[in-house]
Amino acid sequence: MTTAGGNVEWARRTFLDSGCNAVTDFDALANAAPSGSDGVLFLPHLNGERSPFADPTARGAFINLSPASTKKHLCRSVLEGVGYHYRGLFDALEVPMDSPDFGETNSASPGVPFLGGGANSAVWTQVIADCARRKLVTVGSDASLVAARGCSAGAFVYLNLWGAGNKAPAGYFPFDGGNDVSDASITQDLSPKKESKVFLPNQSAAAGHDAAYLVWTRLHKALVEAGAGELV
């Protein structure tokens, strides 16, 4: 996905007034709108798209605006639009879909690890779980460092810095649950800093998103056929 959190950053800067445009302000505004944003849909392709389809001319779009549409609808639809895109990615990867009405203790699904800055927002994480119909598990570490850990791991493997087996030591990725770090000079401060949380798809919200998602999946093709990409 080319742009995920960038959509939220753009919407936050665009729709929220200076002085009350923190991420928490955006979450509060989005959370004030009903699930499904009263039919308002958002295509999160601000910078083109690369997966599950490739189209450098794809752009963002709001659909179904009316005089009743407000900033809260637009903000929530941005979150939901990214959630629908994640659903498309999960479907392409054949990630099993979860029933929206199960308890964490009796579910066989391990859940999808959810990382990155968006994982710091309980509002957005729940929206994605509902839109994608997947159980999400936020990793109990500083999510902003996960990508850096992965990039560093690739360098360590390439340079054969991890010795025998050339594998990451237990605890390098906190989601492993281990803390047996063999080389503190390159893996310092790797213990989990936040408790992992589980987000289950809400039954009523997920049912509404099913219908919206069917419409959402047709929008990019419709805009391509209309020649929208020729204007950028």
Side-chain angles (χ1 to χ4, degrees):
M1 184 174 185
T2 303
T3 307
N7 290 284
V8 177
E9 284 302 298
W10 167 79
R12 183 177 63 82
R13 295 193 308 267
T14 303
F15 299 135
L16 274 64
D17 297 328
S18 178
C20 57
N21 61 350
V23 174
T24 52
D25 296 319
F26 184 91
D27 281 357
L29 192 59
N31 204 35
S35 178
S37 304
D38 285 334
V40 177
L41 299 173
F42 176 72
L43 294 181
H45 315 309
L46 294 181
N47 294 302
E49 196 49 73
R50 60 190 176 194
S51 182
F53 61 85
D55 183 358
T57 67
R59 291 294 183 269
F62 286 105
I63 309 296
N64 280 348
L65 295 178
S66 76
S69 301
T70 65
K71 287 183 180 181
K72 64 183 181 181
H73 293 97
L74 300 181
C75 290
R76 187 175 188 93
S77 70
V78 169
L79 300 183
E80 293 174 339
V82 175
Y84 294 143
H85 197 99
Y86 272 119
R87 179 168 178 163
L89 293 173
F90 291 150
D91 288 348
L93 294 171
E94 299 182 347
V95 177
M97 188 175 292
D98 292 306
S99 168
D101 191 25
F102 62 85
E104 176 187 351
T105 56
N106 62 13
S107 170
S109 169
V112 179
F114 190 58
L115 316 171
N120 294 320
S121 167
V123 173
W124 195 10
T125 307
Q126 184 62 56
V127 166
I128 294 177
D130 295 343
C131 290
R133 274 191 180 270
R134 264 74 175 190
K135 173 183 177 180
L136 302 181
V137 182
T138 58
V139 179
S141 65
D142 184 351
S144 64
L145 295 180
V146 172
R149 293 184 206 277
C151 291
S152 298
F156 293 151
V157 170
Y158 180 78
L159 296 173
N160 197 29
L161 295 178
W162 273 327
N166 202 21
K167 295 182 179 180
Y172 182 84
F173 293 103
F175 198 61
D176 293 339
N179 291 299
D180 180 18
V181 180
S182 59
D183 189 344
S185 67
I186 59 175
T187 58
Q188 64 183 18
D189 193 26
L190 297 179
S191 58
K193 297 176 176 59
K194 298 178 182 178
E195 182 181 355
S196 296
K197 295 182 180 179
V198 175
F199 293 81
L200 308 176
N202 175 273
Q203 182 172 11
S204 59
H209 286 307
D210 286 346
Y213 179 68
L214 290 177
V215 176
W216 185 91
T217 57
R218 304 185 187 113
L219 295 177
H220 173 255
K221 181 179 180 180
L223 289 173
V224 170
E225 293 177 348
E230 299 172 8
L231 302 177
V232 299

